[in-house]
Amino acid sequence: MLNSTSTMRYHIIAAACASLAQASLQASLPGALGPLKFSKDGTFQISIFEDLHFGENAWDTWGPEQDRKSVTVLNKILDSESPDLVVLNGDLITGENGFQENATVYIDQITAPLIERGLSWASTYGNHDHSFNLSAEQLLARERRWPNARTTQMVFGRDAGVSNYYLPVYGSGMRWPWSAPRLILWFFDSRGGQYFQELDESGHDIPQPNWVDTSVVDWFRKTSSALTRRYGKTIPSLAFVHIPTNASLAAQTMVGIDENREPGINDDYALAQQAQGWCANGTNSNECAYGGQDGPFMRSLVETPGILGVFSGHDHGDTWCYKWDTQIPGMDIVGNGVNLCFGQHSGYGGYGHWIRGSRQVRISEGMLERGELKTWIRLESGDVVGSVGLNATYGEDLYPPTPNDKTYL
Ligand SMILES: *[C@@H]1O[C@H](CO)[C@@H](O)[C@H](O)[C@H]1NC(C)=O
Ligand SMILES: *[C@@H]1O[C@H](CO)[C@@H](O)[C@H](O)[C@H]1NC(C)=O
Ligand SMILES: *[C@@H]1O[C@H](CO)[C@@H](O)[C@H](O)[C@H]1NC(C)=O
Ligand SMILES: *[C@@H]1O[C@H](CO)[C@@H](O)[C@H](O)[C@H]1NC(C)=O
Ligand SMILES: *[C@@H]1O[C@H](CO)[C@@H](O)[C@H](O)[C@H]1NC(C)=O
């Protein structure tokens, strides 16, 4: 038996070996992580995959078959697009179908197409990534076995969730770490699902709140102000969060989504938002449609200068972008022009037969100065739909409606 001194020595040596192994692994793989940078041509592209829902029905043939089809979606889309970063925007795995001993192994299937191409990725976790048998902490650890993973955790505590962090993106000619980033990417954990391995007195799972926690909002506001002070200017940014806020629901139901001005599928009507199914007093109950707890997060999104777009998944049947630039009837938080976007259901797991795809976001250093983005959805068929400019006239410009195609395989 080891005494405590030798145990500690053992831990120090083991930790040193692990970090050496990690360092040599990073050096040997094509995806070895330097900081994110704009390409030499001055552009930066993100491919967003969301609601992949791996690991459904592992006990029969249907489940693993869906996972194989989802891998095909990843491969097809990455054959057509060449992103500088992949974002996995929540519900990577259907945790309710998970077994405690292997609930996170699906990460290896999801990331294989990225690793083969030397791509790096950053995840947010969704409600299905938090479950009795699936721990978001273990999911992060599984991702971090690959040096291509940029997912990390910057806010700690039971209420914070896990995937809250930011990534700086530097200019193509940057001299890191001395240059200011050109773009900041914020990632938030909208939680939900159930607490890992916890049961109440009557043996039921314990639901976890499904909004971005105020501890994370405080961290976001402080960190964003600190970055502004440090670099002496507002750095433009994008935000990723699995569950959209109530502002998206308000836009959809109180203003309306126009198929020519906000092209996209709008089948999840009324959409599911943060704090849905919770009462204002913090009780989880079917009696309450919405508890309003996403208010502080929504407020921080409109009060933080420079956020060009907020990208969500969760509602598989909604794929539009809406420029929130007004006071929507009934809401006291006033939009500042931030674009609220859904992507496209990317996985064969999860509900719905809408054709699978992936939202692309492309930014050039010039567009950043004007606060503009370009975005489109690449479908598994190879087609591109919903290609729009998120610029000063988005919401007025006319586009062809997005076809509402389904895939039954
Ligand atoms: C996970 O474990 C379950 C139960 O032991 C098994 O049915 C399933 O095939 C495993 N999944 C993977 C991907 O290994
Ligand atoms: C959790 O995993 C255990 C061990 O594999 C399994 O027996 C159990 O059915 C799972 N529970 C749930 C709620 O999925
Ligand atoms: C949430 O959205 C509804 C519209 O669906 C709106 O009536 C309500 O005022 C909003 N509440 C908040 C707090 O944003
Ligand atoms: C919270 O509010 C709901 C709906 O108004 C109510 O049914 C429930 O009893 C309240 N719970 C507590 C602990 O106050
Ligand atoms: C915004 O982008 C659209 C589509 O590219 C374009 O037609 C429109 O002229 C642009 N508006 C501005 C103000 O640049």
Side-chain angles (χ1 to χ4, degrees):
M1 204 179 131
L2 297 168
N3 66 33
S4 67
T5 316
S6 58
T7 308
M8 187 183 287
R9 196 173 300 138
Y10 168 78
H11 282 305
I12 292 169
I13 294 168
C17 291
S19 63
L20 271 179
Q22 176 79 1
S24 63
L25 192 63
Q26 290 197 356
S28 64
L29 283 174
L33 295 191
L36 288 168
K37 285 164 67 171
F38 278 73
S39 305
K40 294 234 159 47
D41 69 358
T43 65
F44 187 78
Q45 185 176 330
I46 301 172
S47 297
I48 306 170
F49 293 92
E50 66 203 33
D51 297 288
L52 285 159
H53 282 281
F54 273 67
E56 295 195 342
N57 292 36
W59 50 85
D60 64 24
T61 54
W62 178 87
E65 186 55 37
Q66 306 313 301
D67 293 346
R68 278 192 288 279
K69 288 187 226 164
S70 301
V71 169
T72 304
V73 172
L74 284 153
N75 277 313
K76 277 192 185 158
I77 285 166
L78 294 172
D79 284 346
S80 306
E81 302 287 352
S82 303
D84 299 287
L85 177 72
V86 167
V87 170
L88 302 172
N89 207 9
D91 287 358
L92 284 67
I93 293 172
T94 299
E96 306 92 290
N97 283 186
F99 295 88
Q100 199 198 333
E101 64 274 15
N102 67 6
T104 65
V105 297
Y106 300 99
I107 286 296
D108 303 4
Q109 293 180 39
I110 295 172
T111 59
L114 316 183
I115 292 161
E116 279 164 25
R117 291 170 174 80
L119 297 170
S120 68
W121 71 84
S123 306
T124 68
Y125 297 140
N127 45 311
H128 292 277
D129 299 314
H130 296 276
S131 202
F132 181 75
N133 270 348
L134 174 59
S135 137
E137 281 86 359
Q138 288 176 11
L139 201 53
L140 175 60
R142 188 79 188 192
E143 286 192 42
R144 303 280 307 191
R145 287 164 55 146
W146 303 104
N148 310 46
R150 294 182 189 272
T151 314
T152 187
Q153 179 173 15
M154 294 186 178
V155 191
F156 296 85
R158 178 178 169 85
D159 294 336
V162 173
S163 61
N164 299 292
Y165 59 102
Y166 74 91
L167 296 172
V169 185
Y170 295 90
S172 49
M174 65 109 208
R175 289 172 56 228
W176 179 77
W178 302 280
S179 311
R182 301 300 306 271
L183 175 69
I184 303 282
L185 306 176
W186 296 97
F187 300 86
F188 298 98
D189 192 336
S190 47
R191 304 181 294 158
Q194 297 83 31
Y195 285 105
F196 179 63
Q197 296 293 306
E198 289 183 29
L199 296 174
D200 64 16
E201 310 84 66
S202 36
H204 296 114
D205 294 351
I206 302 177
Q208 177 173 231
N210 58 354
W211 57 86
V212 175
D213 184 57
T214 51
S215 65
V216 175
V217 173
D218 292 345
W219 162 83
F220 169 51
R221 285 182 179 271
K222 281 197 193 98
T223 309
S224 163
S225 316
L227 289 166
T228 305
R229 274 197 308 278
R230 175 165 163 198
Y231 295 110
K233 61 181 174 205
T234 296
I235 298 169
S237 63
L238 306 179
F240 300 88
V241 62
H242 178 68
I243 309 180
T245 65
N246 191 62
S248 296
L249 175 68
Q252 185 189 46
T253 58
M254 308 300 286
V255 183
I257 300 303
D258 183 305
E259 63 170 10
N260 292 111
R261 291 177 177 83
E262 286 112 6
I265 298 169
N266 191 29
D267 282 354
D268 274 340
Y269 189 103
L271 63 82
Q273 82 282 45
Q274 292 184 26
Q276 186 201 39
W278 288 75
C279 306
N281 63 16
T283 329
N284 178 254
S285 162
N286 294 333
E287 282 174 43
C288 301
Y290 168 65
Q293 290 92 338
D294 60 340
F297 178 57
M298 279 194 283
R299 211 172 270 289
S300 72
L301 291 173
V302 296
E303 289 178 1
T304 302
I307 305 183
L308 305 178
V310 181
F311 297 87
S312 299
H314 191 61
D315 294 282
H316 303 177
D318 289 336
T319 69
W320 39 263
C321 291
Y322 173 80
K323 186 199 281 285
W324 182 22
D325 58 358
T326 55
Q327 180 156 18
I328 298 175
M331 283 189 76
D332 60 352
I333 303 173
V334 182
N336 65 346
V338 63
N339 294 290
L340 307 176
C341 292
F342 289 98
Q344 186 94 16
H345 183 200
S346 308
Y348 271 81
Y351 74 91
H353 293 285
W354 298 280
I355 186 170
R356 276 67 177 183
S358 159
R359 179 174 290 287
Q360 312 298 311
V361 182
R362 195 171 170 84
I363 311 160
S364 68
E365 298 193 52
M367 284 162 73
L368 266 187
E369 266 144 43
R370 300 190 298 274
E372 295 176 1
L373 306 171
K374 191 163 172 35
T375 183
W376 65 93
I377 288 171
R378 173 72 67 175
L379 299 173
E380 59 176 328
S381 61
D383 291 348
V384 168
V385 297
S387 178
V388 301
L390 299 178
N391 57 20
T393 49
Y394 185 68
E396 297 158 31
D397 297 328
L398 294 177
Y399 294 102
T402 295
N404 188 343
D405 290 336
K406 310 273 196 329
T407 310
Y408 302 94
L409 287 179

